[in-house]
Amino acid sequence: MSARAFTREDIESAKAWPFAEARALIKRLGKIESGGGDDRPIVFQTGYGPSGPPHIGTFGEVARTTMVRRAFEALTGRSTRLICFSDDMDGMRKVPPHLPNQELLSQHLQEPLTAVPNPFDTEHESFAHHNNASLRAFLDRFGFDYEFVSATEQYRSGAFDDTMLRVLKNYDAVMEIILPTLGEERRATYSPILPLSPQTGRVLYVPLLEYDAATGAIVFEDEDGARTEGSVLGGSAKLQWKADWAGRWVALGVDYEMSGEDLTESVRLSSRIARALGAEPPAGFNYQLFLDEEGKKISKTKGNGISIDEWLTYASPESLALFMFQNPKAAKKLYFDIIPKTADDYWAHVQKYAEQDGARAIDNPAWHIHEGAPPETAPPVSYAMLLTLVSAVGDADADLIKGFISKYRPDADDTALAATDEMIAHARAYFERFVAPKKSYRAPTEQERAALSELSAALRALGDDAGEDDYQTATFSAGKAQEFGNIRDWFKGLYEVVFGQSEGPRMGPFAKIYGAKATADLIDAALARD
């Protein structure tokens, strides 16, 4: 892979959504940077709640943010940072039902996640440390360029002290923003600042009785009802949700952060709080959430989605990145049936990139997925064709499949053939789980039997050295000779009788790859099956 050089005009003409987002960020920077601008690195951020492992949405958010980051760098030439922030000082509100050692964890409710014991059989010192390590391993697995930042470390190190004092100095303004959004009962106890109990270490959801904005001193009621003096500095307190998000933006100087559409109202309120603290909120947008096959919102509790490990069992991470690239502001169905098409669409974009120039190449999803350096070689066959080959061959090893491919594309070099290795494994796994269980062969009608017999004879007559166009023409001719009113009915019948499914491959390329005589044998075996 090598990055291609583009002119300034090419880059300025790019229209893909990451460039539109980058331009919105440039506009924001124009508001906050005066005079000749600022040479500081521009800060992109994604947030992570370490109450569970990273998931497919985590990948999507980091991948999409990285795409905007690279577009911004291309437009401006400025240096950037990507912070992956863990909200690991949040109190554990409840014990997730899927976790081990439930009884142990239930004794640590409301404690910061970095103080909750690690329920897993790992050496990490806390529940949050275990999940943070999982996040970093997850991000490293995909080669993301990021900086991990822990909320606990930021609070305890004093890095958030100035922001905590800002909140105290603007306490009434923050309360005026939040209180109208709360119910009457919650208003009575709400505080944007949550002290930690000196006795138990738990995060306390109690109002402040007194505070000194100059020193950070606060007074509150501890769990035992005692009037207690404390401080907002050095990790002795933390900010509550929407104020915490705004405080993070202010403390870390965040310039860009996107989030799910379910957080639209939280973004609006956090932006108002950031302005009340004297800062400009970051640029960003609310991406739409995923839907299942029936158009219902995906929920981890319902288990109606796809895990990232499931996707990567059946297709490449680049195909998943393409799925994330496409229409992020539109709700999309995320279910297993889309995987083969997305895998083929990814390689189609890679092949088109080699033929494109200027802004058209930069707008190609492959440019964004590979940060400007897409692969130069694509596999010689599609994922869909591999599925059909696996179906026809049965439980065959990868070398046999590659033998068919080599015969079909004798000019394919080692790099192109190597690109099929992973795809073959993916196709075999997908076939075994989703295709094989649904296979249902049926007997042909008399019309279909006559057409299939004619096709078998034609393939044998052509032999294995004919071209795929010849095989495709023979297939059409067999259907036309039997006077199918709709040629689609002929192909549907062919697929159902020979392959046991209602959809199948273009017969020309398939016969070329699998062999004309072998394809005729498949047809004859299907005719003898009933």
Side-chain angles (χ1 to χ4, degrees), residues 113 460 500:
L113 292 168
R460 293 187 188 282

Side-chain angles (χ1 to χ4, degrees), residues 365-435:
W367 188 92
H368 298 271
I369 292 167
H370 291 280
E371 301 185 29
E376 297 174 357
T377 304
V381 295
S382 68
Y383 190 106
M385 182 59 73
L386 282 176
L387 277 176
T388 305
L389 269 177
V390 171
S391 177
V393 174
D395 188 17
D397 62 27
D399 288 339
L400 180 59
I401 299 294
K402 287 177 73 173
F404 286 114
I405 296 169
S406 296
K407 185 175 69 172
Y408 174 58
R409 290 284 188 258
D411 56 340
D413 59 22
D414 291 342
T415 302
L417 289 173
T420 65
D421 288 343
E422 187 179 43
M423 192 188 293
I424 291 171
H426 290 150
R428 291 181 67 191
Y430 190 92
F431 171 79
E432 290 170 5
R433 178 169 176 186
F434 299 107
V435 180

Side-chain angles (χ1 to χ4, degrees), residues 407-486:
K407 185 175 69 172
Y408 174 58
R409 290 284 188 258
D411 56 340
D413 59 22
D414 291 342
T415 302
L417 289 173
T420 65
D421 288 343
E422 187 179 43
M423 192 188 293
I424 291 171
H426 290 150
R428 291 181 67 191
Y430 190 92
F431 171 79
E432 290 170 5
R433 178 169 176 186
F434 299 107
V435 180
K438 296 179 181 179
K439 272 184 170 290
S440 179
Y441 298 93
R442 67 168 176 82
T445 65
E446 288 305 312
Q447 184 184 29
E448 289 166 345
R449 178 178 291 277
L452 286 168
S453 296
E454 183 170 335
L455 175 57
S456 174
L459 292 174
R460 293 187 188 282
L462 286 168
D464 290 343
D465 295 328
E468 59 186 71
D469 288 343
D470 297 323
Y471 301 136
Q472 188 71 21
T473 299
T475 307
F476 271 97
S477 297
K480 289 179 180 178
Q482 298 305 317
E483 299 182 350
F484 279 85
N486 186 336

